[in-house]
Amino acid sequence: LLVGGWAMQFLLFALTASATALFREKEHGIFQRVLSAPVTRGDILWSKFLYGICLGLLQLVILFFAGHVLFGIEIGGHLGLLLIVCVFAAAACTSFGMLIAAVSPTPESARGLSTFVILLMCAVGGAWFPVSFMPEFIQRFSKLTLVYWSMEGFSQVLWSHDTFVELLPTLAYLALITAIVMGISVWRFAKGRIFD
């Protein structure tokens, strides 16, 4: 549980920083050069999204491998399902980073907002300690966070040894969170000035 929690926290910070790099790319005129080619704003955003998933998957695999070496977490027999959960968790975290970049007017505000929201989600989502330790109303709130469902997926694979079918509801929640958050992000980018 501890390894999965720290993995999620590190992943959220890394992928949010990657998404907010959009501000630096705008300052250096990269968007103008890229948009002079036959690509759209949507192409740029979705390429960032796919890059974030790949980066997140790599980071989670490395952290779980370190957990295997240092703490004896058994991942060999569950590697396939663990990779599936990692992909869905990375997608949800990437969409969160894109949302932070979409709603923030400056890189400084993006860093401040992301730090606050990430620490809040990790605290109530079970990344630092089990959700069952918290009051019931917080437990209900925690189910709205991507951290909760990612931790639930890791727990199902590594400790409960659930099958793929048993894992499907958790993956569905992560996919729903990703779709909603990414949809809002794309809409905000279309309305914003980051590409101007």
Side-chain angles (χ1 to χ4, degrees):
L1 181 64
L2 181 64
V3 172
W6 286 112
M8 283 305 299
Q9 182 171 314
F10 294 151
L11 182 63
L12 278 165
F13 277 113
L15 293 181
T16 300
S18 173
T20 53
L22 287 165
F23 289 105
R24 290 195 303 275
E25 293 169 7
K26 176 186 177 182
E27 290 171 4
H28 291 96
I30 294 173
F31 290 146
Q32 287 71 22
R33 291 195 291 273
V34 171
L35 289 171
S36 65
V39 296
T40 65
R41 296 177 178 194
D43 294 333
I44 296 174
L45 295 177
W46 288 110
S47 65
K48 277 279 185 187
F49 179 71
L50 292 175
Y51 167 76
I53 292 176
C54 294
L55 177 64
L57 178 61
L58 178 63
Q59 183 171 333
L60 285 173
V61 167
I62 290 171
L63 287 170
F64 276 112
F65 180 74
H68 171 70
V69 172
L70 298 174
F71 303 109
I73 296 174
E74 180 54 48
I75 61 174
H78 320 287
L79 188 58
L81 289 179
L82 181 61
L83 287 175
I84 292 172
V85 175
C86 287
V87 168
F88 278 76
C93 291
T94 303
S95 67
F96 168 78
M98 299 291 281
L99 179 63
I100 293 293
V103 301
S104 301
T106 65
E108 292 76 19
S109 62
R111 282 192 291 271
L113 179 62
S114 64
T115 299
F116 173 75
V117 178
I118 289 170
L119 293 179
L120 178 64
M121 281 198 300
C122 289
V124 303
W128 298 345
F129 43 79
V131 173
S132 57
F133 288 3
M134 292 180 275
E136 188 176 337
F137 76 95
I138 295 182
Q139 291 184 39
R140 288 197 295 269
F141 174 72
S142 69
K143 292 180 181 178
L144 299 174
T145 69
L146 64 93
V147 173
Y148 173 87
W149 292 108
S150 298
M151 294 298 297
E152 188 72 12
F154 297 146
S155 177
Q156 286 180 268
V157 170
L158 297 176
W159 286 274
S160 301
H161 308 305
D162 287 358
T163 64
F164 178 71
V165 173
E166 292 170 319
L167 196 59
L168 281 176
T170 300
L171 298 179
Y173 276 113
L174 283 171
L176 180 63
I177 291 170
T178 302
I180 292 172
V181 174
M182 197 61 191
I184 295 170
S185 302
V186 171
W187 174 76
R188 281 290 302 162
F189 276 122
K191 298 288 185 181
R193 299 175 56 83
I194 192 138
F195 291 110
D196 294 340

